[in-house]
Amino acid sequence: MICIAIANQKGGVGKTTTAINLATGLAATGLRVLLVDLDPQGNASTGLGVYQADRTRSSYDLLVGNCELDEAVVTTRVPKLDLIPATQDLSGAEIELIDYEQRTHRLERVLAEAPAGRWDICLIDCPPSLGLLTVNAMVAAQSLLVPLQCEFFALEGLSQLLQTVERIRSRFNTGLSILGVALTMYDRRNRLTDQVADDVRAVLGNLVFTTVIPRNVRLSEAPSHGVPALIYDFRCSGSEAYMRLARELIARLPRQEVAA
Ligand SMILES: Nc1ncnc2c1ncn2[C@@H]1O[C@H](COP(=O)(O)OP(=O)(O)OP(=O)(O)O)[C@@H](O)[C@H]1O
Ligand SMILES: [Mg+2]
């Protein structure tokens, strides 16, 4: 199982929207996908229609060792997509875990319990910070997908993110790579977003996915219905873009990692 963390410490850049719809797009290609909601806000869980009452076990319980992986996994309405939901308990985890042995490796240990062949790919939706939760995701993951919003300050904060990646690489996870940067909320009527997209490509080159996620109201409506946009309206521009991103991502994965 290849594990990809979706991270950017900036808030509201499209991490969760990307996690939900990319996971759905990957599942639609036939891959068995596990999505880990690692954000106390629990937006990925809500957006997939897994509401509070159904979150009897969560990513928090797994991190602190309250339950086994299997007990925390819930199925979603999307075929081949399973979820480990998040609850607000997770907001205390950063502090609680300080006393734990190997606190940076908790998630890695949890995911190592996954039965061989149960899932092909695991996506982790990170909170908007570079704290212990995101560090756990980066330690557990082989690669990182960074959503970057097409706005003036897009590149600000990226160097801090890259420094964190470098630190994780040198201390905990030498194999951690950046799979790609996905430009989100692109508005073709706005010249500034065009300029930002060009600037980001000039700086990051091939690291940036060719697929750009447009600003699309259907993407923001879908979560309130508890389904991915790809199910809410599979023909909208946002859904089509996430489907393309899923294919582009698969093409970037090392072949032996994904057997499908
Ligand atoms: N391409 C898009 N078009 C229109 N709205 C979008 C798009 N992507 C995300 N949004 C909306 O923007 C808001 C922020 O998106 P999202 O929750 O995915 O970001 P995030 O990075 O996960 O936020 P946080 O840092 O709080 O976890 C949400 O209301 C979402 O519906
Ligand atoms: Mg989010």
Side-chain angles (χ1 to χ4, degrees):
M1 173 170 83
I2 185 159
C3 194
I4 300 169
I6 300 180
N8 186 336
Q9 77 276 20
K10 272 196 168 205
V13 297
K15 291 181 288 295
T16 302
T17 305
T18 299
I20 292 174
N21 290 294
L22 190 59
T24 304
L26 291 166
T29 71
L31 296 174
R32 288 155 304 171
V33 185
L34 175 66
L35 175 57
V36 181
D37 189 348
L38 207 62
D39 184 349
Q41 300 178 97
N43 296 150
S45 311
T46 311
L48 280 168
V50 177
Y51 301 110
Q52 296 290 344
D54 302 317
R55 301 179 202 171
T56 45
R57 294 296 191 186
S58 66
S59 50
Y60 169 81
D61 292 307
L62 286 174
L63 290 179
V64 300
N66 279 350
C67 72
E68 302 290 316
L69 177 66
D70 234 14
E71 299 173 78
V73 175
V74 295
T75 54
T76 70
R77 283 195 253 172
V78 182
K80 293 183 188 279
L81 173 58
D82 294 332
L83 170 79
I84 295 174
T87 57
Q88 275 174 0
D89 297 333
L90 201 53
S91 57
E94 302 244 351
I95 290 171
E96 283 175 48
L97 287 176
I98 286 176
D99 293 330
Y100 279 63
E101 168 203 340
Q102 290 232 304
R103 59 179 185 265
T104 49
H105 289 63
R106 304 293 301 181
L107 184 63
E108 184 189 37
R109 281 202 349 214
V110 165
L111 293 177
E113 285 173 29
R118 168 117 185 240
W119 297 287
D120 301 301
I121 194 160
C122 167
L123 300 183
I124 307 169
D125 185 26
C126 293
S129 88
L130 292 172
L132 192 52
L133 291 171
T134 298
V135 168
N136 260 273
M138 289 186 184
V139 170
Q142 284 90 58
S143 25
L144 211 67
L145 188 154
V146 183
L148 212 63
Q149 187 180 346
C150 291
E151 52 154 23
F152 183 63
F153 295 114
L155 283 166
E156 242 179 52
L158 195 67
S159 59
Q160 203 189 349
L161 179 70
L162 296 179
Q163 271 168 28
T164 304
V165 172
E166 212 36 68
R167 233 182 48 232
I168 305 268
R169 249 188 219 140
S170 61
R171 293 180 58 186
F172 307 121
N173 183 2
T174 49
L176 181 65
S177 68
I178 298 179
L179 191 61
V181 170
L183 295 171
T184 62
M185 300 188 223
Y186 177 83
D187 182 354
R188 67 187 156 77
R189 289 161 306 183
N190 180 340
R191 260 210 256 135
L192 178 64
T193 61
D194 244 343
Q195 183 63 50
V196 170
D198 287 349
D199 289 353
V200 171
R201 285 189 196 282
V203 173
L204 300 174
N206 286 340
L207 213 51
V208 186
F209 286 104
T210 310
T211 306
V212 169
I213 308 301
R215 190 172 276 284
N216 176 214
V217 69
R218 307 300 263 172
L219 288 175
S220 53
E221 286 170 359
S224 64
H225 299 268
V227 287
L230 271 158
I231 286 184
Y232 179 62
D233 180 355
F234 77 97
R235 273 196 243 257
C236 71
S237 62
S239 293
E240 285 181 351
Y242 275 114
M243 204 57 231
R244 277 200 303 278
L245 186 64
R247 292 201 195 90
E248 201 182 340
L249 182 144
I250 290 169
R252 283 193 182 198
L253 294 177
R255 275 206 180 277
Q256 67 276 18
E257 301 275 11
V258 177

